[in-house]
Amino acid sequence: MSNQTSSPVAQLDRLDSILLPYQQKWVSDKSAVKFYEKSRRIGITWAEALDNVLTAACSDGMDIWYIGYNKDMAKEYIDTCAEWAKKLSQAVSKVYNSELLEEDRKILSYSITFHSGFKITALSGRPSNLRGKQGKAVIDEAAFHDDLKETMKAALAFLIWGGRVTVISTHFGADNVFNEYIKDIRAGRLNYSLHRTTFDDAVADGLYERVAAVTKINTAKKKWIADIYADYNDSADEELRCIPTQSNGAYFTSFLVESCMEPDIPIVKLNLPDEFMQKSEYTKASYIDDFLKDEIEPLLKKLNKDNRHFIGEDFARSADLSVFWILCENKDLTLSTPFIIELRNAPHKVQEQIAHYIIDRLPRFNGGGFDARGNGEYLAESCTERYGEDLIISVKASETFYLNAFPKLKAALEDKTITLPKSADILADFRSVKVVKGVPKIVERVNEKDSHLKRHGDSVIACLIGVYARSELGDYEQVDYEKVVENWNL
């Protein structure tokens, strides 16, 4: 009697106690192409083997083609699959080694054939080994393959007939092809699924407890973690924290930023004196209303009414600048900057008045991102209440946000699909972004000694949040209800 299952999902639902949360998330992701940026020894290939056994064993499954970078990896993987098949009582016809004749050379392969008729085969890392195959390709420790680009070319052909591609690796240098794929995925150039788990992430998800249960170790958790970091020593950032080596330094080059700058893009500045706060609410509101009508309304009237518009905002009350960065999406989907506004020493109500005035008048307003850290939360909440969550994103910047958002902005600069105002201050803001342990972030102030001139990367954060808002909200189209009612001819 065959023990094959008709669907792997049913069995996976019973394996929650076996897989740790990050492993469950990986196995449940059925994207056509998915990448895993991972720490050493956190059990991703082990979880992948489980998924592949269930896939190959079911009647509507597919063949699995595993590519490691050496023979030992291939054999270890097949052994792991065989163990899973045994534990899951999957019906296996044969587990065997064989030699495939390909390109006039013999290739040692390891295979498991299931009663379903599908098989799992582990091969060496030559790209040509995937040619003419079909099913799911698993490329393990991809950063260490001799020619990952060619291997990917061969693997992506699997997609034509409904196959899948899985790529797993720790890092092997910032300039490695694997890291290029990771950066392109984060930048949005590649529409692939991306997972990332550091050693600390895995520990937070229960890795230590799982290791202790399996190996019966009695080492205290803190010491166990410390010992592992000590073992990797100077390599810990790359091997455990998913930070490719040689990745510290300036994130944006001067040449890259300047190549996207255009003259005559207005930068409207409003620097309010301290005594402004002593004015009555009516006087302050009237003053700002005049400023908006004189300085901002003429710029808004120049905007193309057929194009979608976005806004990004970085908030500051007194120490730094608040910046509103307007973005126009052109017909070719590039982004241009019609103008930006820089505010210094502006009270909360003033910033709210300016934000509402601009957004109310932006043609085809399609989304905005607002800095919701600290005092900025007031303005972010105000705009969310006024325009709705479909149009406003509140951003509480974190390392995760920077890690995912900055590559999109950098990609726009590299692809010349965004324009920036030509300004030494804005160039300095962009150049203040440094890579710290693999994460781009603002690490220094500009003009620190002069309180009237100092900056803290304010404009680059506003631009970043605007580009992020476009990427998150760009599919949403605001409805002009007045025009809809007019067209009803009531």
Side-chain angles (χ1 to χ4, degrees), residues 150-169:
E150 287 301 316
T151 302
M152 282 296 295
K153 283 183 184 179
L156 290 173
F158 284 26
L159 304 182
I160 297 172
W161 287 93
R164 301 204 302 269
V165 178
T166 289
V167 183
I168 302 168
S169 192

Side-chain angles (χ1 to χ4, degrees), residues 433-486:
V433 181
K434 307 293 182 184
V435 180
V436 180
K437 292 188 175 181
V439 180
K441 59 178 66 175
I442 307 293
V443 298
E444 59 187 30
R445 293 181 183 271
V446 180
N447 301 324
E448 176 67 25
K449 295 181 180 179
D450 192 333
S451 61
H452 295 289
L453 297 175
K454 68 180 179 180
R455 308 171 70 91
H456 192 212
D458 313 294
S459 67
V460 68
I461 297 300
C463 184
L464 174 74
I465 292 176
V467 171
Y468 175 76
R470 189 266 194 124
S471 70
E472 294 296 306
L473 302 173
D475 291 336
Y476 179 83
E477 185 68 36
Q478 185 181 22
V479 177
D480 188 334
Y481 290 104
E482 290 185 2
K483 290 183 179 179
V484 171
V485 172
E486 288 175 6

Side-chain angles (χ1 to χ4, degrees), residues 266-304:
I267 303 173
V268 183
K269 300 184 179 184
L270 178 63
N271 188 357
L272 295 170
D274 292 338
E275 54 267 26
F276 183 82
M277 279 296 294
Q278 309 308 318
K279 307 291 184 182
S280 68
E281 291 301 318
Y282 173 81
T283 300
K284 287 186 287 190
S286 179
Y287 180 88
I288 297 303
D289 189 55
D290 288 342
F291 161 76
L292 290 167
K293 289 178 180 178
D294 294 342
E295 301 289 338
I296 306 303
E297 188 171 347
L299 299 174
L300 290 168
K301 287 182 176 180
K302 292 180 181 179
L303 299 179
N304 189 324

